[in-house]
Amino acid sequence: MSKPVIEVRDLTKVYAGEGDAEVRALAGVNLSIQEGEYVALMGASGSGKSTLMHIIGCLDYPTGGEYFLGGEDTRKLSENGLARIRNERIGFVFQAFNLLPRTSAMKNVELPLAYRGTPMREREKLARIALERVGLGERLYHKPNELSGGQKQRVAIARALVQDPTVLLADEPTGNLDSKSTQDILTLFDELHKEGRTILLVTHEDEVGKRADRIVWMKDGRIVPHTHAEGVGA
């Protein structure tokens, strides 16, 4: 059997609270995600799902435990090594889009490739392909203020895909969208999943979570059965 794309073992994350108090955002999480899986991470606010997502995305460090991405032990990586993984192997999609406001869709999508040092002509070619893949072939030179919310999120997805990442991480990707745009984005994720993409999506919306192959429920920093995950969807 192949190794998981994502594997976390007994992962913990502790933050300092007031005085001597500690906040245990993660309290011993074990999770494996195979190549090509589409997994939704769900739970009430404060359950630890976004903390886990940030650690999986190499945006934060765990306090304890192990995290392997594609079999590589992330604990052994330097800051530069983690930055390399973020740029080359992880595609991020956020609720707030995180687009540069005065820059065209093309230039926004090219950005990860520019950080990687990809030559300009190759960047432009790959950005165009990515934008056409998400249905924005006619919006290449539009700036974010000239795009709808759904189109902005498509630009963000194209930016995530342009580097051909090992895994696509989406944190509440439909949270700022109307119902039609939500359905459009979910259909796009369905298509990417059918193409073999590995997707981990954080959501509090049942409708969004049900599109995934598997739902992982969190409560109080732990993975729990659905019946113990009170408050989800609120």
Side-chain angles (χ1 to χ4, degrees), residues 199-218:
I199 302 172
L200 177 61
L201 178 149
V202 166
T203 184
H204 67 276
E205 300 177 65
D206 291 333
E207 175 190 6
V208 176
K210 289 175 181 176
R211 302 287 280 263
D213 288 336
R214 174 162 62 111
I215 298 177
V216 174
W217 300 90
M218 294 195 69

Side-chain angles (χ1 to χ4, degrees), residues 78-140:
S78 64
E79 282 284 354
N80 287 339
L82 290 173
R84 173 183 56 81
I85 278 187
R86 286 195 300 270
N87 182 255
E88 296 179 359
R89 299 169 64 182
I90 301 172
F92 296 97
V93 181
F94 299 101
Q95 178 176 349
F97 317 131
N98 290 5
L99 301 178
L100 298 178
R102 297 176 183 173
T103 303
S104 70
M106 277 279 286
K107 292 300 182 183
N108 268 287
V109 174
E110 286 179 37
L111 201 57
L113 300 175
Y115 289 144
R116 193 187 293 187
T118 305
M120 182 180 296
R121 286 190 178 181
E122 183 69 8
R123 292 202 309 262
E124 291 175 348
K125 175 184 174 183
L126 293 172
R128 182 184 296 273
I129 291 171
L131 284 163
E132 289 173 348
R133 172 62 192 84
V134 301
L136 289 180
E138 298 180 355
R139 297 287 189 275
L140 301 178

Side-chain angles (χ1 to χ4, degrees), residues 105 127-140 142 147-148 150-155 157-158 161 184-185 188 191-192 195:
R128 182 184 296 273
I129 291 171
L131 284 163
E132 289 173 348
R133 172 62 192 84
V134 301
L136 289 180
E138 298 180 355
R139 297 287 189 275
L140 301 178
H142 286 60
L147 301 171
S148 68
Q151 289 170 336
K152 290 176 187 176
Q153 194 60 291
R154 285 175 180 270
V155 174
I157 293 170
L161 293 175
D184 289 344
I185 293 302
L188 179 55
E191 293 170 357
L192 294 170
E195 293 173 4

